[in-house]
Amino acid sequence: MSATNLATAPGTDTTSQPAIEQLLRLFEAGDPALMGFIAADIDFRIDHYRDSDGVDVSWQQATDIEGFGVILSRLGPEVFPQGTKIVGLSSQDLSDGWYNTRFHQRYHYAVRGRMVESVTFILSHQADGKIDYFRETVTTVNDI
């Protein structure tokens, strides 16, 4: 098992990065090319540890690429209206396409109307360069 901490500089070759890291970097960039990293039969869910600010987050799950597109269309205006900035990103290769990723981000959180930092953990699986399993656990959302 290996761990990577990738705060890649512009022009850095990303093809050796796990699909999950490429996906998150495209998400940060607001690049629709991220859909190219999603398998048609994705099993996707975002869970919230303890606090989701009393907001209904039941819509943050999908079982196919179309459902993922719906989630993505809501995440922008409802959670990340000003985008997000990756503060830290590291993945551990668990073998057989499985990765455990620590994702630290800073963003203007629409629900609170202020800047926050959040640390999440993502368990993902990739096959043929596409994510087919994604479980994100949002552990913290701290005002800054």
Side-chain angles (χ1 to χ4, degrees), residues 56-78:
D56 176 21
V57 294
S58 63
W59 57 270
Q60 296 177 356
Q61 55 188 343
T63 56
D64 56 34
I65 196 167
E66 291 81 13
F68 177 80
V70 170
I71 292 168
L72 200 55
S73 71
R74 289 187 68 177
L75 280 176
E78 294 181 36

Side-chain angles (χ1 to χ4, degrees), residues 16-69:
S16 62
Q17 291 179 7
I20 187 64
E21 292 190 2
Q22 294 178 64
L23 173 77
L24 292 171
R25 292 205 179 279
L26 290 169
F27 181 72
E28 175 188 38
D31 190 334
L34 66 85
M35 293 298 285
F37 286 90
I38 303 299
D41 62 346
I42 185 143
D43 183 348
F44 180 95
R45 189 171 74 221
I46 301 173
D47 294 320
H48 296 259
Y49 174 71
R50 292 196 178 169
D51 184 14
S52 61
D53 290 315
V55 176
D56 176 21
V57 294
S58 63
W59 57 270
Q60 296 177 356
Q61 55 188 343
T63 56
D64 56 34
I65 196 167
E66 291 81 13
F68 177 80

